[in-house]
Amino acid sequence: MELHFVRHKLEAFQANMLRDVQKRMSGMIDEVMQELRQQELQAHEFRNFAKTQNQQQSNTWSNRVHSTTTTTSEEPLEKTTVDGNSFHGDEEEDEQQNATDKTATQSLERRTSNVSSDSDHSKSNESTHSRKKRRLRTLPDKVFRSRESYLTALLEVDHMKTIYHIFYIIFIVFLLNNVTYDYFVNGSVNFGLGTFKASFAKIQYVLGIWLVQNTFVCSIYYALSGWSFVRSKLAKRETLQSLWSTSCLLLYITSQLIFTYLPTKICLVLDLPYVTACVLLLESVRMLMKMHGFVRTISARLLQGKLKSDNDTAESKGCLMPPFQKYFYYLFAPTLLYRDNYPRTAVIRWKFALGRFLEVVAIAFLYSYIYERHIKVIFGNFGIEEITIGSIIIKLFGMLMPCIIIYLCGFYLILHSWLNFTAELLRFGDRMFYRDWWTASNYEAYYRNWNVVVHDWLYEYIYKDFYLYIFKGSKFASSLTVFTISALFHEYVLGYALQVFFPVMFVFFGIIGVLMIFLTRIAPKNLGNIMLWFSLIYGNCMMISLYSMEYFTRVNCPKDSYDSWSDILIPHLWSCYMK
């Protein structure tokens, strides 16, 4: 009986073991097969996105290359060879930089060990001085390649193209909804043309101002040429040369401040509607960034050309100044970084360009529909009607879906359709205006990939200069400066376009956005992506709703006077409802 009992237990144990092993083996086989299917899908359906992190140096989607030399506070930044992409620096970059620093240190030790014993005292002094130098982490440089935008490449896949077709149907549904509403409620169909006409009122004034602005921007080229020419003539008189350069710098800064101020004054004096004011202000900011990019790049080139050889003649320096044609192309190219040459396509794909332009028109009509049927309906009576906490909450939730559409279509309109349209007309080869920000699991990656065009300018001309010359290696201070400047200019456009002082954008982007970088770093990938999308949806809804409340309150309940600064700084919502 005992043997029978033991045998029964052993057989049950064996059966359980076999069942567990079979279950685990089946799970492992399923995982392997799933990975194989995923790799096959990537290899055939998503060819451009199938490369691993170790292959990023030759990847089509890499954005920058990293320096192989160590930079100190007294050394200029050199050319780069290792991929990098962030204000803050990726862990992989840091590891590569540590290895580079170690190699550079070992090389320095080998060189110093070969110095003769007669120079021991001099070597000791130099070593002490080198230790006092603060070693700065080398920063990557932007590289331009011929490549399509992410969505252009993705839409080559049938699965993604089907989703694109679904959005076509959604737009048609919105259009039919608008047509039927106008016909049965108003008795006529206007397709939002009334909103278009009101939004672009006084656009002729903006066109004239834009032409004057472009004339000034073109004159910057000749002003920089004049500075370079006179400076080369004063090469033997260092005091006069320094005085001339300082005077030109002050004049340049003054001109940029005036160039920034005048559009705001014009918006207020002409009382431009929101869309027309946005066109003027955004174009002014674009030209301002273009001018600074050109002046910063060419002036550094001219100064470095002087440092490389003291025997350079004026004629040899003249070749450092690019032809005006290159500067003129840069002014309209869909990039904010100046280069003498960009990758160019062979021909213009007119069908592709027409498709992108029609998308711009379609989204503009969609925005008109959203304004008429949602924003104006929900917030149009602010400043007249009584409001409660409950009514505000209902209005905010009613704006969730419209705000999601505004946010996503705004990205697609500007960063994909419009920039691809202009790039195609100018045969501009590098179409990476954004990266796969929708897969980001933290705000650091989101800011890096959302708007590559502006991010590259902020990185190249603000972050790097502050990192190398102002804060001497402080990544945090340099990044904080970038966010502050970016938030100020976002608020500059929205505030003067709406003619309100209501710094919601500055708070959301410059303060909460910075805090979210640290909060989302510790989240797992999937949870981080969920948190990112949740915060983007509700954050954009809050921001659009608050600006709409303030704008319609200003229209319906204007302030009696603007006698003091407090009258300007106090929001209309406060002055109207807190009387």
Side-chain angles (χ1 to χ4, degrees):
M1 292 294 297
E2 291 180 358
L3 291 175
H4 180 73
F5 175 77
V6 172
R7 185 175 63 181
H8 178 73
K9 287 295 183 181
L10 289 175
E11 289 176 351
F13 175 74
Q14 183 182 18
N16 290 333
M17 285 289 295
L18 290 174
R19 186 168 57 252
D20 291 341
V21 170
Q22 185 178 8
K23 183 178 179 181
R24 292 192 179 186
M25 287 293 294
S26 298
M28 293 174 64
I29 292 172
D30 288 342
E31 290 178 2
V32 172
M33 294 302 297
Q34 181 65 27
E35 290 181 2
L36 290 175
R37 285 192 293 268
Q38 187 68 24
Q39 290 182 3
E40 183 180 2
L41 179 66
Q42 289 181 342
H44 296 283
E45 298 285 355
F46 301 96
R47 294 183 298 276
N48 294 328
F49 304 92
K51 296 189 177 182
T52 62
Q53 293 181 353
N54 295 330
Q55 296 171 306
Q56 287 296 314
Q57 292 184 14
S58 59
N59 194 351
T60 303
W61 309 107
S62 62
N63 193 31
R64 299 195 185 97
V65 290
H66 210 297
S67 177
T68 56
T69 60
T70 302
T71 303
T72 68
S73 60
E74 299 180 13
E75 296 173 348
L77 187 68
E78 298 185 6
K79 293 293 180 181
T80 55
T81 56
V82 182
D83 184 80
N85 257 322
S86 175
F87 286 149
H88 317 283
D90 299 327
E91 293 181 0
E92 183 179 352
E93 285 185 35
D94 293 335
E95 292 176 0
Q96 292 169 342
Q97 182 58 37
N98 292 336
T100 302
D101 292 346
K102 184 177 179 181
T103 303
T105 303
Q106 292 174 351
S107 177
L108 178 64
E109 291 175 354
R110 285 195 299 269
R111 289 198 299 268
T112 55
S113 65
N114 295 329
V115 178
S116 62
S117 59
D118 294 338
S119 60
D120 286 344
H121 181 69
S122 175
K123 179 178 68 175
S124 178
N125 290 338
E126 291 177 358
S127 177
T128 303
H129 177 67
S130 65
R131 284 195 300 268
K132 291 181 180 179
K133 289 184 180 181
R134 186 172 183 178
R135 299 172 80 93
L136 301 185
R137 173 179 168 272
T138 53
L139 300 175
D141 289 331
K142 169 76 175 184
V143 285
F144 287 91
R145 297 187 177 95
S146 290
R147 50 193 167 187
E148 294 285 1
S149 297
Y150 260 71
L151 289 179
T152 303
L154 280 172
L155 290 175
E156 295 295 325
V157 181
D158 290 337
H159 310 294
M160 300 301 299
K161 192 177 294 183
T162 302
I163 298 176
Y164 181 72
H165 294 161
I166 293 173
F167 278 98
Y168 261 126
I169 301 303
I170 292 174
F171 171 75
I172 294 174
V173 170
F174 272 114
L175 180 63
L176 292 176
N177 189 308
N178 193 30
V179 169
T180 54
Y181 181 87
D182 286 342
Y183 181 76
F184 289 105
V185 175
N186 301 325
S188 62
V189 180
N190 58 20
F191 294 103
L193 294 178
T195 300
F196 266 91
K197 184 177 180 181
S199 299
F200 287 99
K202 303 179 182 179
I203 192 67
Q204 67 274 14
Y205 298 117
V206 172
L207 179 59
I209 296 165
W210 182 80
L211 293 174
V212 173
Q213 286 179 317
N214 274 280
T215 303
F216 173 78
V217 172
C218 290
S219 69
I220 288 292
Y221 174 87
Y222 297 101
L224 189 62
S225 299
W227 165 76
S228 175
F229 177 77
V230 175
R231 186 179 181 278
S232 64
K233 293 296 184 181
L234 299 175
K236 297 181 180 179
R237 300 181 181 182
E238 294 184 0
T239 303
L240 289 177
Q241 187 186 62
S242 178
L243 180 62
W244 166 252
S245 295
T246 303
S247 301
C248 290
L249 177 62
L250 293 175
L251 183 62
Y252 169 72
I253 294 174
T254 304
S255 68
Q256 300 304 291
L257 293 175
I258 295 174
F259 191 88
T260 306
Y261 167 74
L262 285 179
T264 64
K265 188 67 175 179
I266 292 169
C267 287
L268 299 178
V269 171
L270 296 181
D271 191 23
L272 297 178
Y274 173 71
V275 176
T276 305
C278 278
V279 172
L280 175 61
L281 293 169
L282 287 172
E283 274 297 289
S284 300
V285 172
R286 184 188 68 85
M287 294 180 194
L288 194 71
M289 298 169 77
K290 291 273 190 176
M291 283 189 290
H292 181 73
F294 179 75
V295 171
R296 176 64 182 85
T297 302
I298 300 304
S299 60
R301 179 191 300 178
L302 294 170
L303 292 173
Q304 290 175 359
K306 169 66 172 64
L307 292 174
K308 288 179 181 178
S309 175
D310 293 332
N311 298 323
D312 285 346
T313 62
E315 290 76 14
S316 65
K317 290 187 181 66
C319 66
L320 298 176
M321 194 73 188
F324 178 76
Q325 293 85 344
K326 294 183 181 294
Y327 175 60
F328 192 75
Y329 178 83
Y330 161 69
L331 290 181
F332 297 96
T335 180
L336 296 172
L337 302 187
Y338 176 78
R339 298 290 188 270
D340 288 337
N341 298 289
Y342 299 98
R344 305 285 296 275
T345 57
V347 296
I348 298 176
R349 299 173 295 177
W350 292 104
K351 183 178 179 181
F352 179 85
L354 179 62
R356 303 292 75 74
F357 180 75
L358 292 177
E359 287 173 348
V360 171
V361 175
I363 295 174
F365 274 100
L366 181 60
Y367 276 174
S368 177
Y369 165 82
I370 292 174
Y371 173 78
E372 291 181 352
R373 298 290 303 279
H374 294 279
I375 296 177
K376 192 174 181 180
V377 171
I378 294 175
F379 300 111
N381 292 324
F382 254 75
I384 301 175
E385 64 181 4
E386 294 292 330
I387 59 172
T388 61
I389 298 297
S391 65
I392 292 177
I393 292 175
I394 292 173
K395 290 176 183 294
L396 291 176
F397 275 94
M399 281 295 294
L400 272 177
M401 284 305 298
C403 289
I404 294 172
I405 296 172
I406 291 172
Y407 169 69
L408 293 177
C409 288
F411 153 75
Y412 193 86
L413 168 69
I414 298 174
L415 295 177
H416 183 76
S417 298
W418 180 254
L419 290 182
N420 270 287
F421 170 70
T422 56
E424 194 64 39
L425 293 183
L426 295 172
R427 297 194 296 111
F428 187 81
D430 196 336
R431 312 288 176 88
M432 198 178 73
F433 309 124
Y434 55 89
R435 303 184 72 185
D436 53 342
W437 58 268
W438 48 87
T439 64
S441 58
N442 56 71
Y443 265 83
E444 183 177 349
Y446 167 74
Y447 287 134
R448 190 167 59 243
N449 298 332
W450 159 258
N451 187 344
V452 172
V453 178
V454 174
H455 178 274
D456 285 342
W457 187 90
L458 290 170
Y459 174 85
E460 188 77 18
Y461 301 124
I462 304 297
Y463 178 81
K464 289 174 75 172
D465 284 350
F466 274 86
Y467 177 84
L468 292 173
Y469 307 117
I470 306 298
F471 297 120
K472 302 295 184 180
S474 174
K475 294 189 291 184
F476 177 77
S478 303
S479 300
L480 195 61
T481 303
V482 168
F483 275 100
T484 303
I485 293 174
S486 181
L488 284 173
F489 274 94
H490 278 80
E491 194 61 48
Y492 163 86
V493 173
L494 280 175
Y496 281 103
L498 294 171
Q499 299 183 28
V500 298
F501 179 78
F502 202 56
V504 176
M505 172 68 83
F506 183 84
V507 173
F508 274 54
F509 183 69
I511 299 176
I512 298 177
V514 174
L515 295 177
M516 289 299 293
I517 291 176
F518 300 99
L519 293 177
T520 55
R521 276 180 178 176
I522 59 176
K525 184 176 181 180
N526 291 334
L527 179 61
N529 187 254
I530 293 173
M531 291 174 58
L532 175 74
W533 275 102
F534 180 84
S535 59
L536 286 176
I537 291 171
Y538 276 89
N540 280 281
C541 177
M542 287 287 294
M543 188 168 58
I544 295 172
S545 299
L546 288 172
Y547 275 115
S548 300
M549 294 177 193
E550 177 67 7
Y551 172 76
F552 284 106
T553 304
R554 178 183 73 83
V555 173
N556 297 325
C557 185
K559 295 179 181 179
D560 298 330
S561 63
Y562 293 91
D563 298 329
S564 63
W565 279 103
S566 60
D567 294 330
I568 299 174
L569 299 179
I570 294 176
H572 290 79
L573 280 169
W574 182 271
S575 63
C576 185
Y577 285 102
M578 298 299 174
K579 290 181 180 179

